[in-house]
Amino acid sequence: MTDVRVAGVGLTRFGSHPDRTGRDLFATAALRAFEDAGVPREDVEELNYGNFMGALAEHQGHQAPLMAEAAGVNCPATRYEEACASAGVAVREAVRTVRAGEADVALAGGMERMTNLPTDEVTEGLAIAADDLFEVRAGVTFPGAYALMATAYFDAYGGSREDLAHVAAKNHANAVPNEYAQYREEVSVEEALEAPPVAEPLHLYDACPITDGASALVIVSEEYAAENDVDAPVAVTGTGQGTDRMALADRDHLARTPAADDAADAAYADAGIGPDEVDVAEVHDCFTIAEVLALESLGLFEPGEGIGAAHDGITTADGDLPVNLSGGLKAKGHPVGATGGSQIAELTRLLRGDHPNSEHVADAEVGVAHNAGGTVASAVVHVLEVAE
Amino acid sequence: MSDDAPAPADNAGYDEWLDALADGEGYALVCPDGHGSLPPRRVCPECGAAALAEEPLAETGSVETHSVVHVAGPRFADDTPYANAIVDFGPVRLTGVLRGVEPGTDAVAIGDRVAVGVEERDTDGEPLVAFRPTDGK
Ligand SMILES: [Zn+2]
């Protein structure tokens, strides 16, 4: 089994790009990833591409060959769809393919175009990540599902809207220096608390925005990097994936995310590390409560303890364990099918030292990325380590 | 959605279940090991057992969590704000809209007893799993 390196990362700015096609967004991210990697595109042997709602947003199915063209690669190309974890599973497949010796170079990432649809159609589109018969027809929206989890969490463990507002304020503050982030303005705890409700107990600043964007990573084998003089100091040392019952009502626990527990356990075992060795994390905070659930599934906090992490300053930029230094989905934005790739792009730059927030994790050796689909019926976790 | 959107597909299993619920004869599918699930099922999603029996739902269930939706998709546009709840009926939990209360975070409490039935969406009259508070809290 060969070791896997991240040779290059590329992102579009996350935000509203109503006049740009999905193929142009992914082409931009891929171009930047190739420039960052210094790897010729003809060496790419596989494209693993994530996208969730392209059939609704752009009337475009069969996107993988289109994106291979856009990126200028000619190789087997496959689209992965796992709702908001689509790019996470795409990256995982690239890692497994390179590890298995099936390819020395893979291009992985994803794209989502959302802002060209009216908000109610995006709401409807995102809801299809839930069970259509037993949830969507019962009025469950994407924010509504996380609101159900937040109520259950408060009941089981305590915590308040104010604790969640600290998660929002932290992630917005982290996004300010990030040139790829959708929202680069600070939001105070008070502003978050006073914002209008979306699905109570969640209000506007508890929710990620609607975002267009793309992510791309050039994933290579350690041998390829050595033979071709490719500077790739960050290794993907662990990958894990978990699955749970589709509908929230069918889960064992409404205030926990066992699929992410399983993904984290597998990723840590794969990397041969434990959660106590993690220095920095990018987690799937599509809603503020989701960051709390992620921290607990990753074993960084005990169940019921994650709610105070931002409030107590542990996960802030200058805390002991910075979380979502990119701004997270919350402020950086959440182009659904691109998010999992962008988390690994951000984490790679944080560990390499060329991220605008790298100063907060100057000595970091180990990072973890947590990407979740729907209400965490799917979860993917990756461990990244500084190898050189 | 546009006015000329295609009619929703039939969903054998689900449609019969919803009709039964509307007639006060709601049921869960239960395997020999006691795992509950909702139709359509060929096997138990927990253990794979193929022998699934229909067990009547209890008269009332217990609220496990709830929310108040203010921003909804087009199919619920005229229903907002509405309260959603997940309610425990023993072998299964059901997800539905809470009716007969003013939608608010204090409209219902976790542990409250509610009855289940089928009511209409305000937006388009389509059927909806709905809960209503019962006196026996
Ligand atoms: Zn069973």
Side-chain angles (χ1 to χ4, degrees), chain B residues 30-36 43-52:
Chain B
V30 181
C31 83
D33 280 351
H35 305 131
V43 299
C44 170
E46 293 294 330
C47 70
L52 300 178

Side-chain angles (χ1 to χ4, degrees), chain A:
Chain A
M1 191 177 83
T2 182
D3 284 334
V4 176
R5 297 292 178 86
V6 182
V9 304
L11 299 174
T12 64
R13 170 128 194 219
F14 283 9
S16 179
H17 300 291
D19 55 335
R20 293 180 67 184
T21 55
R23 65 190 83 182
D24 182 51
L25 291 170
F26 187 71
T28 302
L31 189 73
R32 290 175 177 167
F34 284 120
E35 279 174 4
D36 186 44
V39 168
R41 56 192 68 215
E42 57 266 27
D43 283 3
V44 174
E45 295 172 274
E46 186 155 308
L47 169 62
N48 303 106
Y49 166 81
N51 175 263
F52 171 54
M53 53 188 282
L56 295 173
E58 288 198 296
H59 199 69
Q60 183 65 63
H62 202 185
Q63 291 198 2
L66 185 69
M67 297 307 167
E69 268 182 46
V73 299
N74 185 355
C75 60
T78 310
R79 168 184 157 184
Y80 294 81
E81 190 275 301
E82 212 68 47
C84 318
S86 296
V89 292
V91 171
R92 177 171 150 81
E93 282 311 303
V95 168
R96 282 150 53 103
T97 301
V98 170
R99 267 193 184 171
E102 296 280 331
D104 274 318
V105 181
L107 181 65
M111 184 285 299
E112 206 72 60
R113 211 177 155 210
M114 305 172 75
T115 69
N116 55 316
L117 294 175
T119 300
D120 61 345
E121 287 183 32
V122 175
T123 301
E124 176 107 333
L126 290 172
I128 67 173
D131 183 326
D132 179 59
L133 296 181
F134 291 100
E135 294 188 305
V136 180
R137 287 167 197 237
V140 175
T141 62
F142 188 40
Y146 276 90
L148 291 167
M149 296 166 87
T151 303
Y153 188 99
F154 291 158
D155 180 65
Y157 303 118
S160 66
R161 279 196 58 221
E162 190 180 341
D163 293 321
L164 296 180
H166 278 271
V167 177
K170 167 181 75 72
N171 293 351
H172 275 277
N174 287 345
V176 171
N178 187 351
E179 70 273 30
Y180 295 105
Q182 184 164 6
Y183 291 119
R184 301 181 63 186
E185 289 102 39
E186 296 214 27
V187 169
S188 69
V189 168
E190 292 68 33
E191 285 172 299
L193 285 170
E194 285 162 15
V198 176
E200 292 176 273
L202 303 180
H203 290 234
L204 186 63
Y205 286 116
D206 290 301
C208 64
I210 293 166
T211 311
D212 306 320
S215 62
L217 309 170
V218 178
I219 304 283
V220 303
S221 65
E222 185 184 11
E223 291 77 12
Y224 176 92
E227 284 165 18
N228 294 278
D229 243 355
V230 174
D231 184 30
V234 174
V236 182
T237 57
T239 177
Q241 185 173 347
T243 300
D244 203 343
R245 295 286 298 278
M246 179 75 163
L248 186 56
D250 293 330
R251 308 276 173 78
D252 287 343
H253 199 302
L254 299 179
R256 291 197 200 169
T257 52
D261 296 3
D262 293 346
D265 289 348
Y268 289 138
D270 194 26
I273 66 156
D276 52 329
E277 290 171 70
V278 172
D279 300 312
V280 56
E282 286 287 314
V283 308
H284 197 94
D285 60 328
C286 48
F287 299 93
T288 48
I289 185 67
E291 175 165 316
V292 175
L293 299 171
L295 295 178
E296 295 177 4
S297 279
L298 289 168
L300 303 173
F301 291 83
E302 293 295 314
E305 301 292 323
I307 186 75
H311 198 156
D312 295 340
I314 303 168
T315 51
T316 50
D318 49 9
D320 288 343
L321 178 64
V323 172
N324 284 328
L325 280 172
S326 68
L329 285 58
K330 195 44 222 80
K332 186 189 161 203
H334 182 27
V336 171
T339 286
S342 77
Q343 292 175 314
I344 292 175
E346 299 278 359
L347 207 49
T348 298
R349 292 182 66 210
L350 284 162
L351 292 172
R352 287 193 315 208
D354 63 323
H355 191 284
N357 277 327
S358 282
E359 60 181 288
H360 299 294
V361 286
D363 300 324
E365 299 272 330
V366 179
V368 63
H370 159 284
N371 184 204
T375 51
V376 203
S378 302
V380 193
V381 172
H382 283 99
V383 176
L384 273 62
E385 296 186 59
V386 178
E388 288 170 16

